Amino acid sequence: MSFLFPTYQRFDVKVKSASGAKLVDENDKEYLDFISGIAVCNLGHRHPDVQKAVEEQLNQVWHVSNLFHVSLQEDVAELLVQYSDGDAVFFCNSGAEANEAAIKLARKYTKRHKIITFEKSFHGRTFATMSATGQSKIHDGFGPLLQEFVYVPYNDIEAVKKAMDETTAAVMLEVIQGEGGVVPAQAEFLQAVQHLCQENGALLIVDEVQTGIGRTGKPFAYQHYGLSPDIITAAKGLGSGLPVGALIGKSRLIEAFGPGSHGSTFGGNPIALAAAKATLQIIFQQGFLNEVEQKSAYFMEELQKRLSSVPFISTIRGKGFLIGIECGEKQSELIAKMRENGLLVLGAGPSVVRLLPPLTVTMEEMDQALNIIENICIQEKNSL
């Protein structure tokens, strides 16, 4: 009997230890981890610099609340501002909380209430972020959603134009829809959305919870497209496995988030921020990001080449180390067989195998993963 609510469909793997790109289960079976805690362990498991920073902080102070000045918050906020288009940061504990804060800030600043989001988007599971998510499977069973969110087709600027009016507070989007199937936005679409927001006095919110902190080869994925969002949200990879989220906003928004307007008991606590500071100091180095771009380009090229003859694979898409293999009804079968062969991957939407290796993955580990993926897909092809 379990004492847990059965809210997760779990793999039949009990993890005993983890280091770098490797996991070891209780039976001493080793796995290559190309899930990375769902894009969380961007530096791999237990990166020594992050672990050292956390251990040092454990010997100083764990928690005092936001009634006190926490110098680490200023340090991490400065890094996030330096490497983004924002000017001020609010710290919380998760991506859902960061998106919740973004929704509140957009409505409070604009004094408007409608937010346009997109079909197949995912922004979290709180009531506001669930309402922002354009997937009925996330909504089912919870009754009336929070008003007013309007879902339009992704990459369809005409649909955005039709939904936009004088009550629109913001457009909220992912530049690559992760949970929705690893679907990248078109550059022209993103530019047009930004222009439309500027014309109509609406804010542009970019959800970088999965795509941020180096995963696509830049500090934030929107930077590939020449955007300058009003609000950016981050979490997942920010703390290398410790719970931390952040909202990054432009200076004109600061007045709307004054004392008492928003808060979090645990947000920006010293342990999480020690991990975040060490993480960002590594990932935001240009040499590190260049290496991510080079390695991920090799990995994508090899996937395209090795799987080109597999009939049930229609596309391989993504950016950096956020990669989706569109494989139709074979998805769950392929995920299970890869796991049996020592490679951990996960799904995205109903038909995509999603690959999220740590950004520190080695060439040898990539080749090992490529061999497993290729062998399993060829076996499946030969069995048709």
Side-chain angles (χ1 to χ4, degrees), residues 9-15 25-27 29 31 339:
Q9 289 185 327
R10 302 179 191 270
F11 298 143
D12 188 20
V13 176
K14 293 183 179 179
V15 178
D25 72 12
E26 61 180 6
N27 299 312
K29 180 176 178 177
Y31 300 85
R339 185 165 66 250

Side-chain angles (χ1 to χ4, degrees), residues 66 68-82 87-89 91 268 273 277 280:
N66 286 301
F68 296 85
H69 292 282
V70 179
S71 60
L72 275 169
Q73 291 187 6
E74 292 291 349
D75 295 344
V76 178
E78 183 177 0
L79 284 166
L80 290 171
V81 164
Q82 180 182 350
D87 300 295
V89 176
F91 287 112
L273 267 292
K277 182 177 179 179
L280 296 183

Side-chain angles (χ1 to χ4, degrees), residues 239-312:
S240 289
L242 274 74
V244 56
L247 173 150
I248 310 163
K250 289 192 170 176
S251 58
R252 69 178 184 275
L253 308 179
I254 292 173
E255 64 183 35
F257 253 18
S261 59
H262 195 48
S264 170
T265 297
F266 294 107
N269 83 84
I271 304 299
L273 267 292
K277 182 177 179 179
T279 298
L280 296 183
Q281 286 175 331
I282 297 167
I283 290 178
F284 283 176
Q285 292 180 34
Q286 192 56 51
F288 183 94
L289 293 168
N290 290 343
E291 191 173 305
V292 171
E293 288 198 303
Q294 292 162 9
K295 290 190 297 187
S296 62
Y298 165 79
F299 192 68
M300 177 69 88
E301 184 180 330
E302 285 293 308
L303 280 173
Q304 299 277 8
K305 182 171 66 177
R306 295 182 188 217
L307 303 181
S308 61
S309 67
V310 179
F312 54 80

Side-chain angles (χ1 to χ4, degrees), residues 51-226:
Q51 183 165 330
K52 180 183 177 185
V54 171
E55 288 172 349
E56 288 177 355
Q57 189 60 46
L58 283 168
N59 288 318
Q60 295 175 36
V61 58
W62 295 10
H63 176 78
V64 292
S65 87
N66 286 301
L67 296 173
F68 296 85
H69 292 282
V70 179
S71 60
L72 275 169
Q73 291 187 6
E74 292 291 349
D75 295 344
V76 178
E78 183 177 0
L79 284 166
L80 290 171
V81 164
Q82 180 182 350
Y83 289 94
S84 75
D85 284 57
D87 300 295
V89 176
F90 172 83
F91 287 112
C92 51
N93 307 289
S94 68
E97 286 186 33
N99 285 334
E100 187 90 22
I103 291 164
K104 288 181 66 174
L105 178 55
R107 290 177 62 156
K108 192 166 189 289
Y109 174 78
T110 63
K111 297 179 173 57
R112 301 175 180 182
H113 60 276
K114 184 165 80 174
I115 295 179
I116 299 168
T117 66
F118 294 89
E119 294 171 3
K120 298 183 180 178
S121 61
F122 182 81
H123 298 293
R125 293 179 183 271
T126 65
F127 238 94
T129 58
M130 176 177 71
S131 300
T133 295
Q135 297 189 55
S136 59
K137 69 178 183 181
I138 305 297
H139 306 157
D140 290 349
F142 294 104
L145 299 175
L146 185 67
Q147 298 296 314
E148 176 182 0
F149 290 90
V150 176
Y151 317 121
V152 299
Y154 197 53
N155 281 322
D156 185 342
I157 192 60
E158 293 304 318
V160 181
K161 288 178 181 177
K162 288 178 183 176
M164 180 75 71
D165 60 26
E166 67 279 358
T167 70
T168 304
V171 176
M172 186 175 193
L173 57 80
E174 305 153 274
V175 295
I176 303 170
Q177 289 188 329
E179 301 294 329
V182 191
V183 182
Q186 298 162 0
E188 322 82 70
F189 168 75
L190 293 172
Q191 289 288 342
V193 169
Q194 178 169 265
H195 181 68
L196 198 59
C197 287
Q198 291 168 347
E199 275 191 328
N200 289 273
L203 301 183
L204 175 60
I205 303 170
V206 177
D207 177 343
E208 291 269 6
V209 170
Q210 187 163 164
T211 53
I213 319 300
R215 180 137 298 270
T216 66
K218 291 191 182 294
F220 298 96
Y222 77 82
Q223 292 164 332
H224 291 281
Y225 303 97

